[in-house]
Amino acid sequence: MKPQDYMILIVDDEIEYTIILKKILELEGFSIQTVSSAEEALFKLKLKQYDLVLTDLMMDGMNGIELLEKVNASTPETCVILMTAYATIDNAVEAMKKGADSYFVKGNDPEELVSEILGLYESKKRKLTQPDDSEQQILIPLSKNKAFIKALEMAKKAARSNVSILLLGESGVGKEVFARYIHHESKRYDKSFVAVNCHALQENILESELFGHCKGAFTGADTDRIGRFELAHEGTLFLDEIADTPLSTQIKLLRVLDLKKIERMGSNESVDVDFRLITATNKNLQTLIDTGEFREDFYYRISSIVLEIPPLRERPEDIQDLVMHFIERSSKEMGVPACKVSEEVIEILKTYDFPGNIRELKNIVDRLVVFSDGDRIKPEDLPARISDTKAGPKTLKEIRQMSEKEYIQKVLDENDNKMEVSAGILGITRRQLTNKVKEYNLKKKK
């Protein structure tokens, strides 16, 4: 990834400051666009995928915090840095809690901001070109589950070939980690690993991301940009949430897989591409094929080998090792001593359903490391949905219902109560989601 491929959107109603900042960042080689309001920024973000949004905190209309929340909800892979002329600890804390990648005071040396942006750029570049060894460590030494070990063994064997691989499994089971593991074990290990979340991008943006575009190809295409197919040349392309690709895009992807050639949007010139394709989904593709939402010929093209990753609730024997791994990792990141875990906590976690799988377990452990008192994690330190000691012991069914209710509410809140989108993320139909909302008396986020 070259600096000119790193797209930055500056959002600030101080035009003069925007002009100066644009010139400073262009000297670093980055591609810069500017807008004067958060509303205009959201319109731009619908047209094009940006790597970084650099936004002022205080603006007329929608402020920087509100824009940050909307960017995180619609394109979570886009980084956000908040800027303000009024530096306070409260502002900084709120910004970081809301998910900002950094916080910059306008009166400070611009080199500080440039340094932050260069760090984000280098991080993005590493993610595109290198396997995440720390994530792979979650897979390899930390499983005693037979089904999981078998899936790993199959993945390692499949890595030796160049055939397309389809990964199936619930959200949070580690499908991208599996994809990186396959890449790492393949002959392409020293080339790029390029990941794309098909669910997070609208149709026109997805095609621009995959195929690239020429200047003037569409409104907002101010520069030439290579796509992910070209970035993955001689390496591995991972298309996550493949079930969410529109039918029109599936046809184009099928053609690329057959011909190994692409054309950038706005160009008639063919470009040869050589890549290994790995796709993943948490949905039932056969059901989508039956309803006409997924092409059968495309399914057969991407599923030469199918690997199903078991959910965490089917791997109770792995819970203790995973918890200890995450405690050690989280403690290092936070700069605090690693704490111990009581046997009661492990037993409770073994009976929990984990609708969010590995990702949820990691979040739970991060919370425990932050909030637990003393050097030992006890049952009362666990979130209420997992263990409510005052209410007495609960049945497995009750625990599952509590977890399901909380998770559905979380998904609805994060997606502005959009039923269709939320149902897709949850892997159920809209009708099923409507029934769950009524069953659990879920409330709309205000």
Side-chain angles (χ1 to χ4, degrees):
M1 184 182 201
K2 297 178 181 178
Q4 61 264 33
D5 296 322
Y6 194 76
M7 307 293 291
I8 301 176
L9 180 63
I10 301 175
V11 190
D12 199 323
D13 51 10
E14 293 184 47
I15 306 301
E16 291 183 1
Y17 186 81
T18 300
I19 293 171
I20 294 171
L21 193 53
K22 183 174 186 289
K23 288 181 179 179
I24 292 172
L25 296 178
E26 282 179 338
L27 289 174
E28 300 294 332
F30 297 124
S31 296
I32 312 295
Q33 289 191 356
T34 65
V35 292
S36 58
S37 71
E39 290 79 7
E40 192 178 353
L42 291 175
F43 177 74
K44 284 274 191 182
L45 287 162
K46 289 180 180 179
L47 299 175
K48 181 186 293 186
Q49 179 76 18
Y50 289 87
D51 299 291
L52 170 65
V53 172
L54 191 59
T55 178
D56 190 23
L57 178 61
M58 304 301 294
M59 296 181 289
D60 290 335
M62 187 186 300
N63 64 34
I65 293 289
E66 292 172 307
L67 176 59
L68 165 67
E69 291 177 323
K70 289 187 178 296
V71 171
N72 283 343
S74 60
T75 54
E77 66 277 11
T78 299
C79 296
V80 179
I81 295 179
L82 278 166
M83 306 182 294
T84 182
Y86 309 99
T88 70
I89 295 297
D90 289 343
N91 283 346
V93 169
E94 183 183 8
M96 302 310 283
K97 280 184 176 179
K98 295 289 186 179
D101 292 270
S102 189
Y103 186 86
F104 176 70
V105 180
K106 287 184 174 180
N108 291 356
D109 188 341
E111 285 301 316
E112 293 180 17
L113 178 60
V114 172
S115 177
E116 289 281 357
I117 294 173
L118 286 172
L120 293 174
Y121 162 67
E122 290 296 333
S123 177
K124 177 72 175 282
K125 190 163 67 170
R126 283 195 299 272
K127 284 182 179 179
L128 290 175
T129 58
Q130 296 178 1
D132 188 340
D133 292 333
S134 64
E135 288 298 326
Q136 285 184 22
Q137 289 172 7
I138 299 171
L139 277 172
I140 301 169
L142 297 179
S143 186
K144 301 169 184 172
N145 179 265
K146 292 181 180 179
F148 199 83
I149 292 172
K150 183 178 179 181
L152 266 181
E153 291 173 348
M154 291 177 64
K156 188 169 184 176
K157 290 179 181 178
R160 300 169 190 164
S161 69
N162 269 324
V163 299
S164 298
I165 296 175
L166 173 63
L167 303 175
L168 302 177
E170 297 175 8
S171 178
V173 295
K175 295 187 287 294
E176 182 169 346
V177 180
F178 255 81
R180 290 183 181 275
Y181 175 67
I182 292 168
H183 172 73
H184 186 67
E185 294 294 322
S186 74
K187 296 177 182 178
R188 300 171 182 262
Y189 72 93
D190 58 342
K191 304 298 182 182
S192 299
F193 176 91
V194 180
V196 181
N197 187 325
C198 300
H199 173 76
L201 303 172
Q202 296 177 359
E203 182 175 352
N204 61 327
I205 298 176
L206 176 59
E207 291 192 12
S208 174
E209 279 293 303
L210 292 174
F211 295 92
H213 61 251
C214 296
K215 182 177 180 180
F218 51 84
T219 303
D222 300 327
T223 60
D224 290 345
R225 189 179 189 190
I226 67 171
R228 301 302 178 92
F229 281 119
E230 290 179 79
L231 284 174
H233 183 61
E234 296 185 339
T236 301
L237 178 65
F238 173 58
L239 300 182
D240 198 6
E241 308 293 354
I242 191 66
D244 294 325
T245 51
L247 290 170
S248 58
T249 304
Q250 292 175 32
I251 296 172
K252 294 175 182 178
L253 293 176
L254 186 59
R255 179 177 172 81
V256 174
L257 292 174
D258 288 337
L259 302 179
K260 294 293 183 181
K261 294 178 182 290
I262 61 112
E263 294 175 0
R264 293 183 189 174
M265 295 178 68
S267 172
N268 293 322
E269 182 180 347
S270 293
V271 179
D272 291 329
V273 285
D274 170 26
F275 59 91
R276 195 306 173 53
L277 180 68
I278 303 175
T279 56
T281 183
N282 58 9
K283 296 182 180 179
N284 187 322
L285 290 183
Q286 188 56 57
T287 300
L288 295 178
I289 290 171
D290 294 341
T291 58
E293 299 171 75
F294 202 84
R295 290 180 62 93
E296 189 170 21
D297 51 358
F298 183 51
Y299 169 76
Y300 288 124
R301 194 66 177 80
I302 64 175
S303 59
S304 299
I305 294 176
V306 179
L307 297 177
E308 189 156 1
I309 306 169
L312 185 56
R313 63 178 171 275
E314 295 178 6
R315 300 167 51 195
E317 63 269 50
D318 290 342
I319 294 294
Q320 184 165 0
D321 287 341
L322 285 166
V323 167
M324 299 313 299
H325 172 81
F326 284 131
I327 285 177
E328 181 180 353
R329 183 175 169 184
S330 184
S331 299
K332 284 182 180 178
E333 290 175 354
M334 299 180 191
V336 298
C339 48
K340 296 180 180 179
V341 186
S342 70
E343 292 183 7
E344 293 89 345
V345 168
I346 298 299
E347 290 306 312
I348 291 170
L349 290 175
K350 284 182 179 180
T351 64
Y352 179 56
D353 209 29
F354 285 105
N357 290 290
I358 295 284
R359 189 182 298 128
E360 183 182 9
L361 176 60
K362 181 182 182 303
N363 290 339
I364 290 171
V365 172
D366 285 345
R367 180 187 184 280
L368 292 172
V369 171
V370 171
F371 292 109
S372 61
D373 295 322
D375 61 353
R376 192 176 188 82
I377 295 173
K378 304 176 289 296
E380 53 264 36
D381 296 321
L382 290 167
R385 71 179 186 275
I386 299 175
S387 175
D388 188 347
T389 54
K390 293 181 181 179
K394 294 188 178 346
T395 65
L396 277 176
K397 182 178 180 181
E398 288 173 326
I399 290 176
R400 286 171 182 157
Q401 286 177 333
M402 288 168 59
S403 173
E404 187 176 76
K405 177 181 178 180
E406 184 171 316
Y407 186 64
I408 292 173
Q409 184 71 69
K410 177 175 178 289
V411 171
L412 286 168
D413 289 348
E414 289 176 348
N415 292 279
D416 296 324
N417 297 296
K418 294 177 181 175
M419 298 292 284
E420 203 71 46
V421 175
S422 299
I425 293 172
L426 293 166
I428 59 179
T429 66
R430 179 174 180 142
R431 183 176 180 181
Q432 288 173 320
L433 178 56
T434 300
N435 291 337
K436 290 291 184 183
V437 168
K438 291 178 180 177
E439 178 184 349
Y440 293 131
N441 193 28
L442 299 178
K443 307 296 183 183
K444 287 188 176 182
K445 182 180 179 182
K446 296 181 180 179

